[in-house]
Amino acid sequence: MLITFVVLYLLGTLALGVWAGTRVKNTSDFAIAGRSLPLIMVVTTTFATWFGAETVMGIPAKFVQGGLNAIVEDPFGAGTCLILVGVFFAAKLYRMNLLTIGDFYRKRFGKGIEVFCSVAIILSYLGWVAAQITALGLVFNVLTGGAMSVNMGMLVGTLAVLIYVVVGGFLAVAWTDFIQMIVLVVGLTIIAIYSATLAGGADKVLALATSGDLWRLWPEPSFKDIAFFIAAAVTMMLGSIPQQDVFQRVMSAKDAPTARQGAVIGGASYILFAFVPMFIVAAAVVVMGQQAMELAKGDYQRLLPTFVLEKMPLVMQILFFGALLSAIKSTSSATLLAPSTSFVENILKNLRPGMSDRQQLFATRWTIVVFAALVLTYAMMMKGTSIYELVSGAYQVTLVGAFVPLVFGLYWKRATSQGAIFSVAAGITVWVTSFPQIMGWGEEFPGQLAGLLAAVLGMVVGSLLPQWLENRHDGVHTLDSPHGHHGA
């Protein structure tokens, strides 16, 4: 019965996506919904992109083990990212009328930086989409009681998402997100209320959080702990700002104020609603006791599905799996579309100038298929890596490579292409040397934070040094001229 409902729900969202596909006329419709979405759709699609597998299955298990301190990266960093995008970036970028975030790098710093930052952005999606696909495999495996293997589940899940993204593009994503968010919010809210009843009242769940010191957010007051705390916070908070999926949501709004408000409301809602799955998992610990804590330590991604399947009636199971699939599908659809659009617009068009709009649309659809196949392979190879780690690793590359050129390009008039090249080179180099396989100093100081600082330094030095040398050179020339003193 449960599987029948899940299959029907999957088919329903597929049909909606295909219907949206009939309205796609050109690349702009496909990539940014023709810049036409109202505020409510911008909010739901922004919220939906962030609310993925890790929010339902990853964050709560980390919260139960380490409290708020263990989840500073997501939801706090991730939600704050959207608020920052709304306040500082949305209106400025919206007015530039771009198709991708890579277009900004080309306009401001030239083709080299466009290609390099686009590659960094595209690579960062591998981990994120792999996390969603891993979760889909896990859900189908749990749902069928192990009859469908995790790998088979990954394949089925990928196909279910791929079809409506390839047909309908961002229009399909926006419409399915809208429906899926309603299912998600209603489903998880009802389950949270039911979980509280199972646990003997919400006060019992909150008492568990208080007695386990789970409300503690700040780290120990040592240099190392503070450095790693800040690094965890900024990884998603700043590393997700130069991301194509965030940019797509901003650009799909019908005007600049809608773009700004949509991102801020979406980010704030995400932080607040992320507490709902945390509450459900804390209730699971009250109800299941030691068994829940062991699942949280060993195979934490199964904790919530197991709790729902073992302790709740069929109606709640249908609601939960509907909500969970909504969360995963909305995130994976966005993250398949974004890198494919970036690849065609910022890399393929440089290799094949003069493509018509129809050729570009065709190329984007094929790129989505190829990217999905790559991610599926990567997810199968990375089996055993936790969903939370796959996601947080994804953002470090854009934090050290693409964030600084975006901020300085928008807000510092003296930033130059040379500064951007220095910034990207310094940021990536310092970050890579922190890897355990290379120099391995990342155990003592977080590599992504060192990379970010190096990127800022690279931007300032690379932009100002040539200007300073030129001025000095001009000064020397003036002094050497026959009218030396007068000229000087």
Side-chain angles (χ1 to χ4, degrees):
M1 186 68 177
L2 175 60
I3 295 170
T4 310
F5 265 99
V6 167
V7 170
L8 285 173
Y9 178 61
L10 285 175
L11 290 173
T13 50
L14 256 181
L16 181 67
V18 172
W19 167 80
T22 59
R23 306 177 60 157
V24 172
K25 303 285 181 283
N26 54 33
T27 311
S28 172
D29 285 348
F30 192 83
I32 49 177
R35 290 168 71 105
S36 62
L37 298 185
L39 182 62
I40 181 74
M41 298 269 286
V42 178
V43 171
T44 50
T45 184
T46 311
F47 175 83
T49 312
W50 253 219
F51 210 98
E54 70 286 359
T55 323
V56 183
M57 293 147 92
I59 295 171
K62 282 190 83 94
F63 168 69
V64 174
Q65 289 170 276
L68 292 179
N69 178 258
I71 54 164
V72 61
E73 194 165 330
D74 191 6
F76 297 111
T80 309
C81 157
L82 291 176
I83 295 169
L84 293 174
V85 167
V87 176
F88 295 107
F89 297 91
K92 267 181 177 285
L93 288 170
Y94 189 89
R95 291 191 196 103
M96 291 177 79
N97 197 1
L98 313 164
L99 193 66
T100 65
I101 188 89
D103 291 352
F104 168 79
Y105 294 110
R106 182 182 64 244
K107 275 193 167 174
R108 185 69 176 79
F109 298 119
K111 282 191 175 172
I113 292 294
E114 169 197 12
V115 170
F116 201 93
C117 287
S118 298
V119 170
I121 290 164
I122 291 164
L123 285 177
S124 73
Y125 280 100
L126 268 177
W128 201 18
V129 193
Q132 311 309 319
I133 288 176
T134 305
L136 278 172
L138 203 76
V139 170
F140 289 125
N141 176 263
V142 171
L143 267 176
T144 56
M148 186 185 278
S149 71
V150 174
N151 278 358
M152 190 64 200
M154 286 186 193
L155 182 65
V156 171
T158 306
L159 284 173
V161 176
L162 186 63
I163 293 168
Y164 75 79
V165 179
V166 169
V167 174
F170 192 67
L171 260 177
V173 172
W175 273 104
T176 47
D177 278 356
F178 183 67
I179 303 296
Q180 285 171 173
M181 281 315 95
I182 296 169
V183 174
L184 177 85
V185 171
V186 172
L188 284 180
T189 306
I190 293 171
I191 285 165
I193 295 164
Y194 190 80
S195 305
T197 317
L198 279 180
D203 51 330
K204 295 264 195 312
V205 182
L206 297 174
L208 168 94
T210 309
S211 67
D213 196 22
L214 297 184
W215 301 122
R216 189 177 67 81
L217 177 62
W218 304 112
E220 298 297 320
S222 74
F223 176 77
K224 188 174 171 180
D225 285 347
I226 291 169
F228 276 91
F229 178 80
I230 292 170
V234 301
T235 297
M236 280 185 84
M237 189 188 297
L238 308 181
S240 328
I241 290 176
Q243 284 285 10
Q244 175 59 17
D245 56 291
V246 179
F247 177 84
Q248 263 170 329
R249 272 129 201 83
V250 168
M251 288 301 125
S252 65
K254 64 181 189 338
D255 52 38
T258 305
R260 188 168 52 230
Q261 291 161 9
V264 173
I265 297 168
S269 319
Y270 174 68
I271 294 174
L272 292 172
F273 203 75
F275 278 94
V276 175
M278 287 187 232
F279 177 86
I280 299 171
V281 166
V285 174
V286 175
V287 176
M288 294 162 72
Q290 199 48 41
Q291 185 200 348
M293 282 315 279
E294 260 151 39
L295 267 174
K297 277 195 190 74
D299 195 359
Y300 70 70
Q301 291 146 2
R302 290 179 186 269
L303 174 54
L304 253 184
T306 308
F307 174 53
V308 172
L309 283 173
E310 284 183 7
K311 306 287 179 190
M312 296 196 181
L314 181 67
V315 180
M316 293 295 161
Q317 292 175 12
I318 291 169
L319 275 174
F320 172 74
F321 282 102
L324 179 57
L325 281 169
S326 296
I328 300 170
K329 284 176 65 203
S330 60
T331 303
S332 41
S333 62
T335 44
L336 276 177
L337 182 64
S340 308
T341 318
S342 280
F343 173 78
V344 173
E345 172 73 10
N346 303 114
I347 294 172
L348 192 64
K349 273 174 83 172
N350 279 325
L351 299 172
R352 289 194 54 196
M355 285 169 74
S356 70
D357 194 78
R358 273 192 67 169
Q359 288 171 318
Q360 198 178 335
L361 187 55
F362 181 77
T364 308
R365 286 182 158 137
W366 267 108
T367 308
I368 294 170
V369 176
V370 174
F371 190 74
L374 282 174
V375 171
L376 184 60
T377 315
Y378 179 72
M380 287 176 179
M381 281 162 52
M382 295 293 285
K383 238 167 76 179
T385 310
S386 80
I387 291 173
Y388 196 90
E389 279 166 30
L390 279 172
V391 169
S392 67
Y395 290 109
Q396 294 187 12
V397 61
T398 41
L399 175 70
V400 299
F403 173 69
V404 172
L406 176 67
V407 176
F408 279 77
L410 275 174
Y411 281 100
W412 193 41
K413 295 235 178 356
R414 296 178 73 177
T416 64
S417 301
Q418 208 159 350
I421 294 165
F422 272 51
S423 170
V424 171
I428 300 265
T429 307
V430 169
W431 173 60
V432 169
T433 57
S434 74
F435 292 179
Q437 306 89 324
I438 299 175
M439 285 167 72
W441 51 266
E443 302 289 313
E444 297 309 309
F445 188 84
Q448 72 267 41
L449 194 55
L452 177 64
L453 297 171
V456 172
L457 188 66
M459 173 59 86
V460 175
V461 171
S463 295
L464 296 184
L465 190 63
Q467 296 171 21
W468 179 75
L469 288 173
E470 201 174 302
N471 290 343
R472 262 197 78 182
H473 188 249
D474 288 353
V476 170
H477 269 282
T478 317
L479 284 168
D480 289 346
S481 69
H483 314 291
H485 298 291
H486 181 70

